[in-house]
Amino acid sequence: MTSQSRAGRPKALTIAGSDSGGGAGIQADLKTFAAFGVYGTTVITAVTAQNTLGVRAIQEIDLSVIAGQIDAVMSDIGADAVKTGMLSSAEIIETVASGIRRHGIKNLVVDPVMVAASGDRLLREDAIGELKSALLPLALVVTPNIPEAEVLVGGSLSGTDEIRDAARAIAGMGAGNVIIKGGHMEGPESADLLYDGAGFREFSAPRIDTNNTHGSGCTFSSAIASGLAKGKSVGDATADAKIYVTEAIRCAYPIGAGQGPLNHFFESDQQSRIKDA
Amino acid sequence: MTSQSRAGRPKALTIAGSDSGGGAGIQADLKTFAAFGVYGTTVITAVTAQNTLGVRAIQEIDLSVIAGQIDAVMSDIGADAVKTGMLSSAEIIETVASGIRRHGIKNLVVDPVMVAASGDRLLREDAIGELKSALLPLALVVTPNIPEAEVLVGGSLSGTDEIRDAARAIAGMGAGNVIIKGGHMEGPESADLLYDGAGFREFSAPRIDTNNTHGSGCTFSSAIASGLAKGKSVGDATADAKIYVTEAIRCAYPIGAGQGPLNHFFESDQQSRIKDA
């Protein structure tokens, strides 16, 4: 392959926290972008000392360095799609929203990260207003799980009708498409509900009994961003992402003593000559 | 594949800076680990706002958060090999060296990063003493390029004899194996020289006329760490790494207007069903 033949290689940017354990955050996003054949770049908003058992420390990055990373990537490399993950404070959300507006980013997937799989809080309570007012109106897609959707709408959700109402309410905050993820529900199927502002579509997969769910939300949203970067519709990108994250959970291998990561490279596990050499 | 079948999946940790542009630093390391089928974890020492044209800003991470990341990864996930990259200050080097000793890390590859491909300085001048006295004695392998070897030995190097003397001198600082990389030399071949404390071995590849060398040093050292994580000898890991980095440079595609990155996934480019779907 010459360098010319892939001049149009799709590119995606993640704006999120760093997970030292490699299972969530920008690490999960880079792994997912790679699995989809998308060139990955990063804006780190916070560095966490974290493993599969929990978050031990968080250092937020200076607002000027967050803005500087956005400008460095967008002015030189660009991005066909962008996703946001952990944005821990109102000031960080404001800085990121401003950068997204400054560079006219349209293919934006917002994963409204609030709590880690371990239960550790990743978003300050007083930042939820900023998330709703500054970031959601810029989002092509927002991907809350049930607890996050409950925080966004300010009430508990049970049953299909309430979840559909919540999706409509979150779309009313300005997001183009709302995907409420069913991973935290019960039952034999894990169903994600996509509301595109007009109608609903459901994406189901058999629920897998596993501890390897650390970073599944990051992975799902970056898989959607990968599809968008490759020119897919929101519906098609979501369908592909649901299959990808389900298989990555199913093919996970043991890492750490707690909530383990997914296997982002299940597809290439038996394919690469290098790694089996 | 069940989760049991890959219980022994190799794991590697990078302790380095973050390159927002995705071509160098922990991003290049994670991509390389993935290409070798190795599970990747990270300790971020500094966050840079950077693209293919240069480094715009650097924020060093707090020493307590660097130490916290090392402890979080090593106490739960562990690592079969560790590499270090950008360690910008004497205090950071001391913190990292202390963590390496605390966890008894033996398979350590030290890439003595001093200057980015763009020419930006990544190591403070007053930290070179600490690098030599605290970190090199812990290294199984150290991978300076010619300018870095010149700084380590304190004199200019030209010709095979001087380079061999430099390798002996750097081994005398305590590193088990010294690889002086020839990428900054001239001539039709790019030759890397390995000194194992007793004898020399040369690894050559045709020099490629390209701007896509951003992160080649990070990639080479993390490829060696990948091989060590999989139980290879230093010589075999170096031979594989030389082939990998050469092909990743040859198969690079255009990204950015400056020193572009390598194509870390050249092997899987035509293999994955996901990314071509």
Side-chain angles (χ1 to χ4, degrees), chain A residues 103-163:
Chain A
H103 295 286
I105 292 164
K106 302 295 179 209
N107 280 338
L108 178 67
V109 181
V110 172
D111 183 18
V113 173
M114 298 180 189
V115 174
S118 55
D120 294 284
R121 190 156 192 99
L122 300 177
L123 177 74
R124 295 179 189 173
E125 198 130 11
D126 63 5
I128 289 164
E130 195 72 21
L131 176 67
K132 287 159 72 167
S133 65
L135 199 59
L136 289 195
L138 302 174
L140 175 62
V141 185
V142 59
T143 61
N145 56 31
I146 297 278
E148 290 159 354
E150 289 176 334
V151 169
L152 290 174
V153 302
S156 72
L157 301 174
S158 61
T160 309
D161 287 350
E162 285 184 15
I163 292 172

Side-chain angles (χ1 to χ4, degrees), chain B residues 31 64-65 67 87 92 102 116 149 166 195 210 234 250 259:
Chain B
K31 291 174 183 183
S64 64
V65 176
L87 308 172
I92 290 176
R102 187 163 62 249
Y195 178 63
T210 177
V234 171
R250 190 195 313 281
Q259 299 269 343

Side-chain angles (χ1 to χ4, degrees), chain A residues 21 36 39 52 76 230 257 275, chain B residues 21 36 39 52 76 230 257 275:
Chain A
F36 278 85
Y39 183 80
T52 69
D76 176 41
K230 296 164 86 171
K275 69 186 176 195
Chain B
F36 278 85
Y39 183 79
T52 69
D76 176 41
K230 296 163 87 170
K275 67 187 178 195

Side-chain angles (χ1 to χ4, degrees), chain A residues 33-53:
Chain A
F33 294 157
F36 278 85
V38 171
Y39 183 80
T41 58
T42 59
V43 169
I44 294 181
T45 58
V47 171
T48 72
Q50 184 176 173
N51 55 30
T52 69
L53 296 163

Side-chain angles (χ1 to χ4, degrees), chain B residues 73-122:
Chain B
V73 172
M74 293 306 299
S75 67
D76 176 41
I77 297 169
D80 301 301
V82 176
K83 73 149 273 186
T84 64
M86 175 188 177
L87 308 172
S88 50
S89 74
E91 294 74 18
I92 290 176
I93 293 170
E94 194 180 1
T95 300
V96 169
S98 168
I100 289 164
R101 288 193 305 267
R102 187 163 62 249
H103 295 284
I105 292 165
K106 302 294 179 210
N107 280 339
L108 178 67
V109 181
V110 172
D111 184 17
V113 173
M114 297 180 189
V115 175
S118 55
D120 294 284
R121 189 154 192 100
L122 300 177

